[in-house]
Amino acid sequence: MADLVNKFLPNVVANWEGDNGFVVAIWQTLYMTFVSAFFAGIFGIVLGILLVVTADDGITPNKALYTFLDKLVNLFRSIPFIILLAVIGPFTRLIVGQTIGPTGALVPLVIGTAPFFARQVQLALVEVDHGVIEAAEAIGLSPMKIIFRVYLREGLPELIRSGTLTIISLIGLTAMAGAVGGGGLGNMAISVGYQRFENDVTIVSMLLILVLVFVIQGLGDFAVRKLEH
Amino acid sequence: MAEQNGIIQLKNIDVTFHSEGKTIEAVKDVSINVNKGDVFGVIGYSGAGKSTLVRVINLLQKPTSGTVVVNDQNLTQLSAKDLRKARRNIGMIFQHFNLMNSLTVYGNVDFPLRDSGLSKAERKQKIDKLLDIVGLADRAKNYPSQLSGGQKQRVAIARALANDPEILISDEATSALDPKTTTEILDLLGRLNKELGITIVIITHEMDAIKQVCNRVAVMENGQLIEEGSLLTIFGNPKKQLTKDFVNTSTHIGSVLDEIRDSGIVDKLSGRLIELNYIGDSTNEPIVVELYKRFKVEANILFSNIERLQNTTVGIMLFALTGEDDKVEAAIEYLNSLNVNVKEISLKKEGE
Ligand SMILES: Nc1ncnc2c1ncn2[C@@H]1O[C@H](COP(=O)(O)OP(=O)(O)OP(=O)(O)O)[C@@H](O)[C@H]1O
Ligand SMILES: [Mg+2]
């Protein structure tokens, strides 16, 4: 077995440990993915909820705020991620003190993902049966309680579905951010595998990313199945 | 107009919607006074403005103008917080049940109780009691998706009753249910009215639902309230055409009339077609016998429908009167002198 690995994946073995090795790269990818998913998740949920409740047929309509948020989300969704990375460099430095490395990638990842997720959250929550919202209003629930007890509760399976989708697309973004200085498996595949013609490194990087995607998809599907009645 | 001291008083309610440049006057200058203990029916065709009107009662729909007084509280003047408190006194059930799919039957009934200040044990006791009232004690652990429409509506009723409301609003609560289930749900509402003294407002487009439980009826057409009165007056003596249509559909007299006209039976009897409406005890036989005894006029009963509404007999009869012209005239006059509504019906088809 060890012989086989050495024979077919020589560069992977050579690049397994060490500061620029696979083990570190895997951790960097996980770190970028989950830390930015956490923050993008919070921003996305808050924005998505605001979009739903301030809409014309929402529970607290507010045309000005809705229009502003709607435009803001559209604007940031329109900027290609790779350009976003460059454009917000100074802002990134201001927040996390550095523009390279996994931590430097966090800010653009969050900004690139949050608007996308906000739309997903909005779509998930407007799907919540309007009649149920009305029933909750008739019962005398405040808007805040309607958000937490009805929207987030009834929309949970759909939210998890969009959360899964968002994390998977976020993994794609971490690879892109990695390639331009963020580290992680994307960086591994490009700056080691591709540029040094070490094809086995590229392929293993890709396989590891796929494994991550499948695990997350599987967990998401499992949670949705558990929650749906 | 009834005395203005009811538990629900809507005064001069207007509701106007502006959508896509169009103005829709969904409710026009409607005033309603519902007394405590009433089962008040609002009937009308789709789009008449019924839902919009009853949603004004708990201010789910803010009226464009008019006042809403419930339990001596002017709801339009309340703060958001006080309004929410006032809403707890007004339960509501809907055509599509509007249950939380993510909660069990138990959870759905518990839903309005979470802010009630009751302990968990007290809540459980209350929920068990409510599920018992609606006959679903054995379904507490099921999810709504595992229930039939009728059962879902029972859960919705239990949920609406959780905060011990004095008023229950039912917006087409039986429209998605089959006739048998409809009857069961209406029976349940009637029981709640009698046993718990809850004032109920029922919206429907079926006269049969009104007949089964309501004591008072309002008829709506194009946003306006066109007729209002006790069930007996509305049913026994409808004034407006729409009201008559609803009553006729429910007594089936409309289709019977068509048949009578098509068959030419009245002409064969060379008679005149008379419709007779009465409320209270007045039976067919004596009238027929009297007519013959007094005027030598034969009355052939072609149709008769007698119902017990709120323990009162409401009857409708169609008969052909045959006899000499002046005798028939005298017979009709005699009928008019009785405590009944008499009306001669043209043998021509409508529109001819
Ligand atoms: N939010 C709204 N915006 C615009 N128009 C509305 C709104 N709600 C109701 N309408 C309009 O108001 C009118 C009355 O509607 P409403 O729902 O009260 O009728 P309804 O008598 O309850 O009918 P149905 O039996 O179909 O439930 C309709 O023309 C409807 O299109
Ligand atoms: Mg309606």
Side-chain angles (χ1 to χ4, degrees), chain B residues 15-20 22-27 42-55 61 95 171-172 175 203-205 220 222-223:
Chain B
V15 180
T16 309
F17 293 113
H18 301 279
S19 70
E20 290 153 20
K22 274 189 289 187
T23 302
I24 302 165
E25 290 184 73
V27 176
V42 179
I43 190 168
Y45 286 127
S46 188
K50 309 178 297 289
S51 298
T52 309
L53 179 69
V54 294
R55 284 158 43 88
Q61 175 65 56
Q95 179 172 1
D171 187 351
E172 311 238 16
S175 295
I203 302 186
T204 177
H205 51 254
M220 276 192 86
N222 296 328

Side-chain angles (χ1 to χ4, degrees), chain B residues 268-281:
Chain B
K268 270 177 225 152
L269 295 165
S270 55
R272 290 164 69 177
L273 183 59
I274 303 292
E275 179 188 320
L276 198 143
N277 283 285
Y278 59 87
I279 301 174
D281 291 319

Side-chain angles (χ1 to χ4, degrees), chain A residues 75-119:
Chain A
L75 178 77
F76 276 94
R77 280 195 60 192
S78 311
I79 304 175
F81 182 67
I82 200 85
I83 298 177
L84 185 73
L85 277 174
V87 170
I88 62 168
F91 178 65
T92 303
R93 191 188 307 278
L94 189 74
I95 294 192
V96 291
Q98 62 197 83
T99 54
I100 54 159
T103 303
L106 289 180
V107 176
L109 284 172
V110 170
I111 294 180
T113 306
F116 173 79
F117 188 48
R119 274 286 179 244

Side-chain angles (χ1 to χ4, degrees), chain A residues 3-19:
Chain A
D3 286 349
L4 270 180
V5 172
N6 273 324
K7 183 162 175 222
F8 287 104
L9 307 170
N11 304 305
V12 173
V13 176
N15 283 300
W16 193 254
E17 314 236 317
D19 282 354

Side-chain angles (χ1 to χ4, degrees), chain B residues 43-268:
Chain B
I43 190 168
Y45 286 127
S46 188
K50 309 178 297 289
S51 298
T52 309
L53 179 69
V54 294
R55 284 158 43 88
V56 166
I57 296 174
N58 58 5
L59 242 57
L60 281 182
Q61 175 65 56
K62 295 214 165 45
T64 314
S65 67
T67 51
V68 183
V69 178
V70 175
N71 249 340
D72 298 321
Q73 248 185 337
N74 187 338
L75 296 194
T76 44
Q77 288 172 352
L78 295 182
S79 66
K81 189 156 171 271
D82 287 338
L83 173 61
R84 288 200 290 270
K85 211 165 138 215
R87 278 180 179 163
R88 290 168 177 247
N89 196 31
I90 309 173
M92 192 162 185
I93 56 176
F94 309 83
Q95 179 172 1
H96 299 294
F97 325 122
N98 299 349
L99 298 174
M100 294 269 294
N101 290 319
S102 56
L103 298 177
T104 58
V105 165
Y106 186 93
N108 268 285
V109 182
D110 188 31
F111 188 78
L113 289 173
R114 283 162 67 180
D115 300 313
S116 61
L118 299 178
S119 74
K120 223 174 169 109
E122 288 168 320
R123 271 152 60 189
K124 174 161 174 24
Q125 202 178 13
K126 188 154 192 184
I127 295 163
D128 288 344
K129 195 183 110 206
L130 287 166
L131 288 178
D132 205 43
I133 291 178
V134 299
L136 280 180
D138 53 337
R139 294 300 202 127
K141 290 199 173 67
N142 286 129
Y143 283 92
S145 61
Q146 300 164 318
L147 302 180
S148 71
Q151 290 168 331
K152 284 184 203 170
Q153 198 58 286
R154 287 169 187 276
V155 178
I157 290 172
R159 176 178 70 177
L161 296 178
N163 281 316
D164 304 310
E166 289 177 82
I167 297 169
L168 180 66
I169 298 173
S170 157
D171 187 351
E172 311 238 16
T174 58
S175 295
L177 305 175
D178 63 61
K180 181 165 169 284
T181 315
T182 294
T183 305
E184 287 168 8
I185 294 290
L186 291 173
D187 274 346
L188 174 59
L189 294 183
R191 238 177 59 215
L192 296 176
N193 171 255
K194 285 203 187 63
E195 290 169 15
L196 308 177
I198 299 180
T199 305
I200 302 183
V201 177
I202 288 182
I203 302 186
T204 177
H205 51 254
E206 288 172 338
M207 199 64 189
D208 287 331
I210 299 263
K211 268 181 357 195
Q212 198 184 330
V213 279
C214 296
N215 67 328
R216 286 180 60 217
V217 191
V219 185
M220 276 192 86
E221 185 174 31
N222 296 328
Q224 280 166 322
L225 200 152
I226 58 168
E227 196 164 351
E228 203 224 292
S230 73
L231 176 69
L232 293 177
T233 50
I234 290 286
F235 198 80
N237 192 9
K239 300 225 158 44
K240 293 278 170 31
Q241 189 54 46
L242 177 65
T243 317
K244 288 177 190 167
D245 289 347
F246 277 122
V247 172
N248 289 349
T249 311
S250 137
T251 55
H252 307 290
I253 193 170
S255 52
V256 170
L257 266 177
D258 287 344
E259 254 171 62
I260 290 176
R261 285 177 176 130
D262 287 343
S263 68
I265 183 165
V266 182
D267 283 333
K268 270 177 225 152

